[in-house]
Amino acid sequence: MKYATSFLFKFIMTTTILWIVLGLFFNVSLGDILLTSIIISAGAYLGDVFILPNVDNFWAVLGDFGLAFVGIYILGYWLFEPQVSLDDASLFSALFIALSEIFYHRYMKQQIIREKVNDTSRKIITSNRMQTEFSKELNESEDD
């Protein structure tokens, strides 16, 4: 349930930003905004769940900026009206999405990823460190 809630939060955040930037300033239809938001949110959420625990917040935000810019540009090429400037629309949308991702990543690390780490700490911790032991044989051979 926590993953569904965090995805819904990300989807609403992305949709709101795209509606403000693309809808109000570039006159993109609501249907195109929703489709773009679903695709961008799903791709970015997978990265947040699997990649965010292993990287710093700066690199995760940079990755989200790149994903949003390229994703909006490619989807806009197929979905948006020809009079929309894809460069500007993608840049401004990706910039505001990246700024909001700073706060979203903090939420993810405090609420979702922390619980994931706590779940794994309850398991038996195994180590990959191995040692070689040397000892004298207890049963000496009869030849001695």
Side-chain angles (χ1 to χ4, degrees):
M1 185 66 181
K2 61 185 177 182
Y3 289 104
T5 305
S6 61
F7 176 74
L8 184 64
F9 180 61
K10 182 176 197 73
F11 173 71
I12 291 171
M13 179 182 69
T14 304
T15 303
T16 303
I17 291 169
L18 291 179
W19 177 71
I20 291 170
V21 174
L22 297 177
L24 296 179
F25 294 109
F26 294 98
N27 296 324
V28 175
S29 70
L30 183 61
D32 292 343
I33 291 171
L34 287 174
L35 182 60
T36 304
S37 181
I38 289 170
I39 294 170
I40 298 294
S41 297
Y45 187 73
L46 289 174
D48 290 339
V49 171
F50 294 112
I51 298 173
L52 183 61
N54 302 319
V55 298
D56 191 35
N57 195 22
F58 172 78
W59 296 109
V61 169
L62 193 64
D64 283 329
F65 174 81
L67 175 72
F69 182 81
V70 171
I72 292 168
Y73 192 88
I74 291 172
L75 290 170
Y77 181 76
W78 287 315
L79 296 175
F80 304 163
E81 299 295 323
Q83 69 267 17
V84 174
S85 171
L86 287 177
D87 298 333
D88 294 337
S90 300
L91 180 66
F92 290 127
S93 298
L95 181 65
F96 287 114
I97 287 173
L99 290 174
S100 68
E101 289 290 332
I102 294 170
F103 303 105
Y104 182 74
H105 290 163
R106 287 183 188 163
Y107 162 76
M108 285 290 288
K109 285 187 175 187
Q110 290 174 353
Q111 300 298 321
I112 307 300
I113 296 171
R114 182 190 63 175
E115 292 175 10
K116 190 176 181 180
V117 169
N118 288 340
D119 288 343
T120 58
S121 66
R122 292 183 199 142
K123 297 178 183 177
I124 296 175
I125 299 174
T126 60
S127 174
N128 290 335
R129 297 183 331 172
M130 297 184 185
Q131 284 182 318
T132 304
E133 292 184 20
F134 295 98
S135 69
K136 186 176 179 183
E137 292 291 329
L138 294 176
N139 294 333
E140 297 281 333
S141 64
E142 293 179 20
D143 293 338
D144 292 334

